[in-house]
Every structure is written in structure tokens, then in C-alpha cells.
Amino acid sequence: MLSREEREFVGVVRRFVDSEVKPVAHDLEAEDIYPEKLIEGMKELGIYGLAVPEPWGYGKVSAACYVLVTEELARGWMSLAGAMGGHTVVAKLILDYGTQEQKDKYLPRLATGELRATMALTEPGGGSDLQAMRTVARAEGGKYVVNGSKTWISNGRRAGLVALLCKTDPAAEPAHKGVSILLVEKGEGLTVSRDLHKLGYKGVETSELVFEDMHVPADALLGTAEGQGFAQMMRGLEVGRLQVAARALGVGRAALEDSLRYAQERESFGRPIWKHQSIGNYLANMATKLEAARQLTLFAAQRYDEGDRVDMEAGMAKLFASETAMEIALDAVRIHGGYGYSSEFDVERYFRDAPLMIVGEGTNEIQRNVIVKQLVGRNRVAR
Ligand SMILES: Cc1cc2nc3c(=O)[nH]c(=O)nc-3n(C[C@H](O)[C@H](O)[C@H](O)COP(=O)(O)OP(=O)(O)OC[C@H]3O[C@@H](n4cnc5c(N)ncnc54)[C@H](O)[C@@H]3O)c2cc1C
């Protein structure tokens, strides 16, 4: 499925993770330190430009390759994959829906990572019911005046560009027809009010953004027409959900790899613990479920590459891979016994990182809603 160059690139990222990430991830996460050097390394590898083709970039890869690169990063430290996920979605949004000026203005700097991007959907009042959002951009004298607040915004402090989902017509019926995306650069009227404390996903900030009478030029509207933002973002989230599924694959794989090693080294009753049937069964189930999750994710990525609408497939991949990662992380804790509960071992981190993939990029309850709606839509019974 991958070209030879793509396979080689995944190999380069794998080696980067083994040599640069694995040795430092534990301590950086324990101290909640921003991984400056690793992010710079990711920029040098071209990871921020994976969605940007020529002439603006040079590194656009297939969705399947993107999934496998993300898996490698998350295998080393999930936070690194989080530091490029929303960025890729924004780059894709600009590529697919932006004007020529927007592409020329942003894509070259997004490709190198010189400019980092994030997407701001969730509000303090809710993240699932996006159409009920309260952030409003009022058109006024050739510009927008933005008021509202967003929360749980990954990379919110360091990102220089925010793809802001907001209402340009709060009275529109149905509500999604009044939703637009503005490409907002940091500046007066936008405050990063605080960073949120988290169970996992440490090192990379997740922030609250407050917009107070922020003046944004009219040409910040993504594309040329208002009211398209909801549909644009739903398409963008297909990539986002593939990315979150891939992050789950990485966390699950790390938990399995650590467990496989530990189960051969640790002995009880005079034999390596993997030879106890219960532990062997855990390992067999973990590996089987992980491979199933990977195949489902690659299937969705392949359909995406073929140009299909994949909200159902990406939703299935995100749902299954994230629940699988959580189960594998728990089994890894069991296999490590008391040490699985120790913050000196990485399995404790996997167990704290895994729930993010269940909640983020649309909760798994919302994924099930998306899946069943598509299932019924694609299999409608004549009545
Ligand atoms: C670490 C982290 C990083 C994040 N990064 C970003 C980011 O960069 N940008 C961004 O915009 N957001 C981000 N989010 C927000 C995330 O997308 C939301 O938390 C998520 O969409 C859920 O929204 P909520 O927290 O408001 O929960 P709610 O919408 O309040 O949901 C609460 C519960 O009710 C369930 N529920 C709600 N509606 C339904 C329904 N119709 N059917 C069934 N169940 C339902 C939910 O599944 C959930 O279990 C991040 C979140 C976290 C934790």
C-alpha cells in the first residue's frame, strides 16, 4: 500500500523514536516539560509537512503513511503525535478549502513547522454539540469582530494559527448553516487564559482561549463563502480521527512491546511469566486486537486516499483502536504486577495516555452516533 519512499520514511521515524524519543520520554513526561528538541527534530524530518504537497511543501504522503508515522511517534510518546495532529488537520483544511492567497500565505510555513497550527472547536459549554457553540464572529466594516471562548485546545499556547470554528450567523436555521472557519493569527483580543492540568498527554500544553472583541480581517474566512465551516470541519475531522486512531495504535504497541519483554524477563514459580497460561493469553489477545485495530485504521486510510467519504470508517477506526489501546494498557499493567502501577515504568504512562483517544476528536459515544447514522443511511429500508 505504501510506496518504497513512504516505507523508508516510516523507518526513519521509527529510528528517530528509538534513538531520540524513547530515552527521554519518561523523564520529560514526569516533569511535564515541553519537548522542544524533539519537536525541532520532527520539523527537520518534515513531519509537520506531511499533508502539504508541492509547490508549498515537498512531503505530502498517503493517509496510510501518515497513520504509520503517527503510530511510530505515539509508540515513543503520545504527546509528540498530539503535537502534530491538529496541525495536519488545519493544513488539510487550507489545502482543500482555502483560497489561493490562503494557501500561498500559510502552507509553506506550516510545511516546515515554522508556523504551528491548531483547531479550536470545543467550548466550555460543550464539545460534542458543536452546533450549540457560542463563539460569534460579527461582520463589521470589512472585518470580523470575534467574541467567545474555546477550551481544551491542544498546542493552544505555541500555535501561531488557530482554525476557529465559530458562528458568523447565530440566527441561522439549521444552526450548522451559520458556522464558518476563520484562520485567526494570534494578536490583540485573543488571550491564552490558562493551560489545563491533565491525567496524561503531558509536556504539550492544552489551553483555554478567550476572544474579546478581536478584530480579524474578512479574508481570514476559510474559502470564500460563510456557512461552510461545519461541513469543512467534519471532512477535516476524518483525518483527525485517523490520526487519533493511529495514536492509539502507538500507545497500544508500546504497551504490548514492553509487556512482551517483561514477560520473558520476569520469572515466578521458576519460569518466565509468559509461560503461565493466563499471561500468555493476555499477550496473545493484546497482539490480536492491536493488529485488528491497525488493519481497520489502514482500511479507513486507504478509503480516504481513494477520495471516499470516510466518516464511518474513520469513526470505526478511532472507536475500536482507542478502546483497544485502553484494554491493552490495562493488560500491560496486570502483566507488570506491582511495577505496572509504578511511575518508574512506562506502562503507567500508557494507562494515563490511552483515555485521551477515547474522548478526543469526538468522544466514542459520538463516533457510535456517526457510525449508526451512516449505517442506516447506506442501508435504508424502503417503507
Ligand atoms: C487533552 C485534550 C485535548 C483536546 N484538544 C482539543 C483541541 O485541540 N481542539 C478542540 O476543539 N477540542 C479539543 N479537545 C476537546 C474534545 O474534543 C472534547 O473534550 C470532546 O469533544 C468532548 O466534549 P466535552 O468535553 O465538552 O464533553 P460533552 O460534550 O459535554 O460530553 C459529555 C459526555 O456526554 C456524552 N454525550 C454528549 N452528547 C452525546 C450524544 N449526542 N450522544 C451520546 N453521548 C453524548 C459524551 O460522549 C461524553 O461522554 C481536547 C480534549 C482533551 C481532553
Side-chain angles (χ1 to χ4, degrees), residues 280-303:
N281 284 350
Y282 281 139
L283 291 167
N285 287 342
M286 289 157 81
T288 306
K289 286 189 287 192
L290 181 65
E291 194 53 44
R294 183 179 295 112
Q295 293 306 323
L296 187 57
T297 308
L298 288 173
F299 166 73
Q302 192 179 356
R303 294 287 304 272

Side-chain angles (χ1 to χ4, degrees), residues 59-312:
K60 185 172 187 301
V61 298
S62 65
C65 177
Y66 178 65
V67 160
L68 294 177
V69 166
T70 304
E71 176 184 334
E72 289 298 339
L73 289 173
R75 177 177 67 87
W77 187 11
M78 195 280 290
S79 296
L80 294 184
M84 50 74 98
H87 178 96
T88 316
V89 174
V90 178
K92 279 291 292 174
L93 285 171
I94 295 173
L95 186 66
D96 290 346
Y97 303 110
T99 61
Q100 188 65 38
E101 289 72 26
Q102 288 167 342
K103 291 177 194 177
D104 293 341
K105 183 175 180 188
Y106 291 122
L107 289 178
R109 285 185 294 145
L110 289 177
T112 58
E114 175 196 340
L115 176 67
R116 303 259 308 277
T118 189
M119 50 180 189
L121 289 66
T122 306
E123 300 193 351
S128 301
D129 187 3
L130 287 174
Q131 296 191 48
M133 78 179 70
R134 298 217 177 130
T135 301
V136 171
R138 186 166 35 87
E140 190 184 287
K143 60 181 182 308
Y144 289 103
V145 180
V146 182
N147 281 287
S149 56
K150 296 284 176 181
T151 192
W152 289 112
I153 307 308
S154 299
N155 307 289
R157 197 167 284 282
R158 287 179 178 83
L161 180 66
V162 181
L164 175 71
L165 197 70
C166 58
K167 285 197 173 163
T168 42
D169 181 3
E173 285 290 342
H176 68 82
K177 291 200 167 159
V179 173
S180 302
I181 296 174
L182 296 186
L183 301 172
V184 177
E185 296 182 43
K186 293 273 181 65
E188 202 180 328
L190 168 50
T191 313
V192 181
S193 49
R194 69 178 177 123
D195 294 343
L196 300 156
H197 295 284
K198 297 170 288 188
L199 174 68
Y201 194 10
K202 305 242 185 211
V204 172
E205 81 282 6
T206 306
S207 316
E208 276 184 4
L209 308 182
V210 177
F211 298 83
E212 283 173 302
D213 284 334
M214 183 183 195
H215 289 197
V216 176
D219 63 6
L221 177 75
L222 180 68
T224 49
E226 290 182 0
Q228 306 294 315
F230 196 78
Q232 291 166 341
M233 191 57 88
M234 288 306 116
R235 179 71 176 154
L237 285 180
E238 292 180 0
V239 180
R241 287 169 184 165
L242 287 175
Q243 211 265 351
V244 169
R247 280 195 231 176
L249 296 178
V251 172
R253 184 162 138 219
L256 173 63
E257 287 175 355
D258 287 13
S259 300
L260 272 174
R261 192 171 50 246
Y262 190 78
Q264 294 174 66
E265 290 167 359
R266 182 78 172 174
E267 293 192 356
S268 78
F269 298 90
R271 47 209 306 232
I273 60 171
W274 75 267
K275 291 198 171 172
H276 301 304
Q277 194 176 30
S278 302
I279 302 295
N281 284 350
Y282 281 139
L283 291 167
N285 287 342
M286 289 157 81
T288 306
K289 286 189 287 192
L290 181 65
E291 194 53 44
R294 183 179 295 112
Q295 293 306 323
L296 187 57
T297 308
L298 288 173
F299 166 73
Q302 192 179 356
R303 294 287 304 272
Y304 183 89
D305 282 332
E306 287 163 3
D308 295 338
R309 173 179 172 170
V310 294
D311 48 354
M312 182 171 90

Side-chain angles (χ1 to χ4, degrees), residues 17 21-22 25-26 29 73-79 199-201 247-261 286 322 324-333 336 340 342-358:
V17 166
V21 179
K22 281 276 189 187
H26 179 275
E29 120 91 21
L73 289 173
R75 177 177 67 87
W77 187 11
M78 195 280 290
S79 296
L199 174 68
Y201 194 10
R247 280 195 231 176
L249 296 178
V251 172
R253 184 162 138 219
L256 173 63
E257 287 175 355
D258 287 13
S259 300
L260 272 174
R261 192 171 50 246
M286 289 157 81
S322 60
T324 297
M326 193 71 248
E327 290 166 18
I328 293 177
L330 176 58
D331 287 347
V333 170
H336 283 73
S342 162
S343 55
E344 286 178 23
F345 279 66
D346 288 331
V347 287
E348 178 261 1
R349 163 162 57 96
Y350 310 144
F351 187 73
R352 286 185 290 105
D353 277 348
L356 170 64
M357 278 68 78
I358 288 174

